[in-house]
Amino acid sequence: MQILMVIAAGLASYVFGAVWYMALAKRWMDAAGIAPDENGRPPNAGPLPYIVAFVCAVIVAGMMRHMFMLAGIDTIAKGLVAGLGIGLFLVSPWLATNYVFADRKPASIWLDGGFATGGCTLIGLVLTLF
């Protein structure tokens, strides 16, 4: 049952990312310096980025489940707060550090940090639903 919970949490984050980046595709492409194709979309990179994104979301969910179990995070409210905190205070600052050194546009920090925060919050929610 635990593995299904982890996969469901990773899937929730993955779906959130799909919606997030589809809604913000133009801003993300501008910030990342990616030229759109003739349809105004990012060039198709094939299935690999999507596979990696899903696998990584499941890995994050698995580690968050482990941390939640050790910390006794077992209610929806605690899961939401812990997930929000992980995204906002662990992942996003790490991204910001990397992006500043790589001289990426500040909008990249907000766009990708927003996804990381929302994704981790959703993982925290799903992990504490069961």
Side-chain angles (χ1 to χ4, degrees):
M1 180 66 174
Q2 297 297 317
I3 189 69
L4 293 177
M5 182 186 337
V6 168
I7 292 170
L11 182 61
S13 176
Y14 180 83
V15 169
F16 172 73
V19 172
W20 179 266
Y21 285 110
M22 282 192 309
L24 300 169
K26 171 103 174 76
R27 290 181 186 160
W28 176 77
M29 287 187 299
D30 290 343
I34 296 173
D37 67 11
E38 61 277 354
N39 297 319
R41 297 183 180 134
N44 186 353
L48 184 62
Y50 302 99
I51 294 167
V52 170
F54 177 71
V55 169
C56 288
V58 172
I59 290 169
V60 169
M63 188 61 203
M64 285 179 63
R65 180 208 163 270
H66 176 69
M67 291 170 32
F68 282 19
M69 297 301 284
L70 292 175
I73 297 169
D74 56 4
T75 66
I76 292 173
K78 289 178 183 178
L80 283 169
V81 171
L84 177 70
I86 289 167
L88 193 59
F89 300 111
L90 294 177
V91 181
S92 293
W94 201 277
L95 287 173
T97 300
N98 290 332
Y99 287 8
V100 169
F101 275 102
D103 197 27
R104 292 190 57 186
K105 293 180 182 177
S108 292
I109 297 169
W110 297 109
L111 290 163
D112 294 341
F115 161 63
T117 300
C120 286
T121 303
L122 273 175
I123 290 171
L125 169 69
V126 173
L127 290 177
T128 53
L129 283 176
F130 306 103

